[in-house]
Amino acid sequence: MDNGKVVYGPVPITHGRKGYATPPGSFKVTFKNKNHRSSIFNNAPMPYSVFFNGGIAFHQGSLREKSHGCIHLSMAAAQKYFGALSVGDVVEVVR
């Protein structure tokens, strides 16, 4: 969104599976890492990660399998959001 208008999206996603719910709410981007790897889940790749709630991020990932709490995006969407968002920007997770 830019000045209250949607400028990109909606896009397909997957979210947290049972037992790993993606928390809804408004959050601020805390950090970004283009080539992040999970320190919790077997060094799994998390390209174009934008973290917004502790270890929860949105990043490029499977659109067929649910996550461990993160929001999976297509490569194109992950790159777009990674490039457009800065630390401190507000993101909203809705159900």
Side-chain angles (χ1 to χ4, degrees):
M1 301 212 30
D2 186 18
N3 291 320
K5 291 188 175 190
V6 175
V7 294
Y8 182 74
V11 298
I13 65 137
T14 55
H15 54 78
R17 62 185 74 171
K18 188 174 182 177
Y20 295 94
T22 303
S26 292
F27 306 94
K28 288 189 177 181
V29 174
T30 53
F31 74 100
K32 299 176 4 176
N33 185 333
K34 184 177 178 180
N35 298 304
H36 191 77
R37 296 188 80 82
S38 174
S39 60
I40 300 171
F41 297 103
N42 301 318
N43 208 33
M46 299 168 59
Y48 301 98
S49 287
V50 177
F51 287 86
F52 59 86
N53 185 10
I56 304 294
F58 47 89
H59 59 84
Q60 190 265 317
S62 173
L63 294 177
R64 292 181 301 277
E65 295 181 31
K66 291 187 177 179
S67 73
H68 286 98
C70 288
I71 296 171
H72 288 171
L73 302 165
S74 70
M75 177 69 82
Q79 289 173 329
K80 180 79 170 179
Y81 289 126
F82 187 88
L85 291 167
S86 298
V87 171
D89 285 349
V90 175
V91 296
E92 289 193 45
V93 177
V94 296
R95 292 186 187 199

